[in-house]
Amino acid sequence: MRNIVVLDAPSNLGLRPPAPGVVPGCYKLAGALREQRIVQRLHALEGGVVVPPRYDRGDWQMGDGVFNAAAIASYTVRLADRIERHVRAGDFPVVLGGDCSIQLGASLALRRVGRYGLAAIDASPDFRHTGNSDRIGAAGGEEVALATGRGQEDLTNLEGLRPYLRDEDVRFFGIRDEFEEDRAELAALKIPVVTVGDLREWGADALARATAQAFEIPEIDGFWVHLDADVLDPSVMPAVDSPDPEGLLPGELTSLLRPLLASPSCVGLNITIYDPDLDPEGTAGALLTDIVVDAFAQS
C-alpha cells in the first residue's frame, strides 16, 4: 500500500479574470476540499502547500503570449520539486489545485524521473496553441499543448526537458462530443480521445481498465491522472469557469477514476478548476470530494 499524500497547489495563474479586477476563485479549491475532510477520509498524509506567486497580469494584451508566464514557470519548478520527491519516495501525491496549469508541475516532475503518460479527464482537451488559435494567453486551457512542447520556450522547455510528455503517451477522457475540430487535430497526432458519448457506449470502467493496461508496458514508467471538475455536467457541478452541457454524471466519473487510480502504474492525481466562489452552499465541493474518496475507497 502506497501512502497517499495530499499536497495543495492553490494557483490560479492560468485563468482569465472572471470579471475586471476579480481574480479566479479556484485557488480556494484546496481549502474547500479540506473543509470536506478529504485528507482524513483518504487516510492520507499531510503534504503541505506550495504557495503560488501573486496573480498579476500587469499590462498584458492579447498577442503577448501566455500571461503570468514567468510566475507559472517559477511555480512549475517549485511544484515539480515537491511532486518529484513524493514520487521517488513511492508515495501517491494527490494535488489539490488550482487551475489546470498546475499539471505542468506534475509533467515536469515526472519528466525528470523518466517517461510517463497522462490520463486527462476534462471537458476540453486544453490543447490550444499558436498552430490552432490566435487566442493564446490562459495556460489553464493550454497546459497539455505546453507539456507536449507546443508554445513559448519559457514554459515548454524548462530545464531543457522539452517535451515533458510525448504525444503518444497522452489520453483524453470526457471531452464533449461537439469539439470536432479539436478531436480531428488530436486524431491526426494519434492522441486517443474518449468523448462522453464514447464512455456511455463502451463503459467507463472498461475503457479505464484498457487505458491502465496500455500504460503497463516496459517503455513507460507509469502515468498521472489529471481531473478537471468541468468534466462533470453543470447540473451537478456548476462551480467551474466554463460549464459545458452534456457532461459526465457522478457515478460515471467514479467508474472512470477507480481503475485508473487502482493501477500500480498510476503515480498521482491532481484535481483542478472547482471554484468555491461559485458554490456558496458548498454542495458541489462536497460532491467532488465524495467522488474522489469513493474512487479510492472502491478501487
Side-chain angles (χ1 to χ4, degrees):
M1 290 291 292
R2 291 175 291 179
N3 291 323
I4 298 174
V5 180
V6 174
L7 169 65
D8 294 5
S11 171
N12 58 2
L13 295 169
L15 288 188
R16 304 181 193 278
V22 178
V23 300
C26 64
Y27 72 95
K28 300 177 183 179
L29 180 156
L33 268 57
R34 283 177 175 274
E35 193 170 37
Q36 295 294 329
R37 303 183 68 252
I38 191 169
V39 178
Q40 296 88 338
R41 293 169 65 188
L42 289 176
H43 306 289
L45 300 178
E46 177 56 67
V49 58
V50 181
V51 179
R54 181 194 300 272
Y55 184 98
D56 182 4
R57 300 201 307 169
D59 57 359
W60 178 89
Q61 297 181 9
M62 189 64 68
D64 291 345
V66 176
F67 56 74
N68 290 327
I72 291 171
S74 66
Y75 189 67
T76 295
V77 171
R78 291 194 291 116
L79 181 56
D81 290 344
R82 193 79 66 88
I83 293 173
E84 179 188 4
R85 185 188 317 158
H86 288 300
V87 171
R88 288 190 183 277
D91 298 330
F92 190 100
V94 173
V95 183
L96 307 179
D99 72 72
C100 292
S101 69
I102 68 165
Q103 171 54 38
L104 289 171
S107 295
L108 177 61
L110 297 176
R111 176 67 176 84
R112 293 171 179 171
V113 177
R115 176 181 171 185
Y116 286 81
L118 174 68
I121 304 173
D122 199 328
S124 59
D126 289 356
F127 206 73
R128 186 173 59 241
H129 58 86
T130 53
N132 63 20
S133 176
D134 58 1
R135 291 188 54 79
I136 299 303
E142 301 161 12
E143 83 281 352
V144 182
L146 292 166
T148 55
R150 296 167 173 86
Q152 58 199 64
E153 184 87 2
D154 56 347
L155 291 173
T156 61
N157 198 29
L158 293 167
E159 302 172 4
L161 292 176
R162 178 169 57 193
Y164 317 133
L165 297 168
R166 302 187 189 192
D167 291 351
E168 62 266 31
D169 297 340
V170 176
R171 307 286 188 275
F172 287 107
F173 293 91
I175 305 300
R176 300 301 195 260
D177 292 83
E178 70 268 19
F179 291 149
E180 294 182 7
E181 189 172 329
D182 296 308
R183 289 160 56 197
E185 178 185 10
L186 295 168
L189 296 169
K190 296 182 169 56
I191 299 177
V193 174
V194 176
T195 67
V196 173
D198 295 332
L199 282 164
R200 289 177 178 155
E201 179 177 359
W202 299 102
D205 179 86
L207 289 169
R209 290 182 187 278
T211 297
Q213 290 174 1
F215 281 128
E216 293 172 4
I217 60 174
E219 293 82 4
I220 299 180
D221 297 300
F223 69 96
W224 184 273
V225 176
H226 166 75
L227 172 59
D228 183 329
D230 71 11
V231 77
L232 287 163
D233 192 80
S235 64
V236 295
M237 177 52 68
V240 296
D241 64 311
S242 298
D244 290 311
E246 304 301 325
L248 295 181
L249 298 176
E252 294 171 324
L253 178 53
T254 303
S255 294
L256 178 61
L257 283 169
R258 282 175 186 158
L260 295 173
L261 300 179
S263 169
S265 296
C266 184
V267 297
L269 164 72
N270 59 253
I271 306 167
T272 62
I273 291 300
Y274 163 65
D275 185 343
D277 285 347
L278 305 176
D279 184 29
E281 301 300 321
T283 54
L287 173 66
L288 182 59
T289 306
D290 287 346
I291 290 170
V292 173
V293 172
D294 289 349
F296 275 103
Q298 301 179 46
S299 60

